[in-house]
Amino acid sequence: MPFFVVTCTDHENSLEKRLAVRPQHLERLQKLDDEGRLVTAGAMPKDPANPQAGFIGSTIVVEFESREALDAWLQEEPFLKEGVYAHIDVKPFNKAFPKG
């Protein structure tokens, strides 16, 4: 199955909404992790020392059977549906490390 890098950019001033929707977002990522399809995921803070400054967005590296399957999964992403993400960019990815 191919890998993809998903880069998500937050709307300005979306911190409160991000925090409210975060449990649903994490639940979906946990399911991917349980299935062995999540390589890494995390938020990109504006200021790593101050989470209250908000976030630039998120980066996720995932494995899906196709780009179409990933797109269908992204359509149900709570951060997208609830207006946290302003933009999502997807690129194919060739995973070299870690092996396995």
Side-chain angles (χ1 to χ4, degrees):
M1 281 197 289
F3 292 94
F4 300 91
V5 175
V6 182
T7 306
C8 310
T9 305
D10 286 12
H11 281 284
E12 284 297 319
N13 303 312
S14 62
L15 178 61
E16 187 175 311
K17 195 177 289 188
R18 176 184 261 273
L19 295 176
V21 179
R22 189 171 185 262
Q24 298 164 342
H25 169 74
L26 294 178
E27 183 179 316
R28 295 181 83 237
L29 290 175
Q30 184 63 58
K31 185 174 186 291
L32 285 181
D33 192 42
D34 292 346
E35 295 169 355
R37 298 190 300 145
L38 181 64
V39 176
T40 193
M44 297 178 289
K46 290 180 179 179
D47 178 355
N50 178 15
Q52 292 303 312
F55 294 86
I56 298 163
S58 306
T59 298
I60 306 166
V61 181
V62 292
E63 185 177 19
F64 270 83
E65 50 276 2
S66 67
R67 171 63 194 263
E68 293 77 19
L70 172 59
D71 287 344
W73 184 84
L74 286 171
Q75 289 302 313
E76 298 303 315
E77 169 52 47
F79 280 177
L80 180 62
K81 289 174 76 170
E82 297 298 326
V84 175
Y85 290 154
H87 178 74
I88 296 178
D89 183 58
V90 177
K91 300 266 192 299
F93 181 72
N94 290 332
K95 181 179 170 250
F97 290 96
K99 295 183 187 253

